[in-house]
Amino acid sequence: PTKDELARLLREGGGQLLSRQPKPDSDVTQTLNAAAYHAEPGSDQALCTQYIIYDPQGTYKPAVVRRGKVWSAPSTWIIDCIGAFSLLPVPQH
């Protein structure tokens, strides 16, 4: 899907989109507690509050992969989650 279509799908699923990239080491980011309630309990993904989504076919690859409450994930992961009606584990890249 296009970026706009992906944003629409995320909003319709209850997601919130930031207009800037989150800062993993920010005190504000680290105090957020709105993690995905449907992540597997006890997993490190249950602590993640923000995802940096990128196009795996594009040239941009985020430097931060998994730091604290901020993780990066390919846009294909979102589509897979939608298809599975579940929050799937984020693939290692």
Side-chain angles (χ1 to χ4, degrees):
T2 66
K3 182 179 177 180
D4 289 339
E5 290 170 331
L6 193 57
R8 182 182 55 79
L9 288 170
L10 289 170
R11 284 190 188 100
E12 287 179 3
Q16 297 177 348
L17 297 160
L18 299 176
S19 59
R20 57 156 181 79
Q21 184 168 315
K23 297 176 183 171
D25 298 324
S26 161
D27 289 341
V28 173
T29 299
Q30 293 306 317
T31 58
L32 291 175
N33 291 318
Y37 67 89
H38 45 284
E40 187 172 327
S43 72
D44 55 349
Q45 193 170 351
L47 302 174
C48 182
T49 60
Q50 299 172 339
Y51 291 92
I52 300 169
I53 305 302
Y54 65 93
D55 179 355
Q57 303 301 320
T59 56
Y60 171 75
K61 299 284 189 273
V64 175
V65 176
R66 293 181 183 190
R67 187 189 295 158
K69 295 184 175 189
V70 178
W71 289 22
S72 62
S75 57
T76 51
W77 169 75
I78 293 174
I79 300 303
D80 292 343
C81 290
I82 292 169
F85 295 97
S86 177
L87 187 65
L88 301 172
V90 175
Q92 300 283 341
H93 14 277

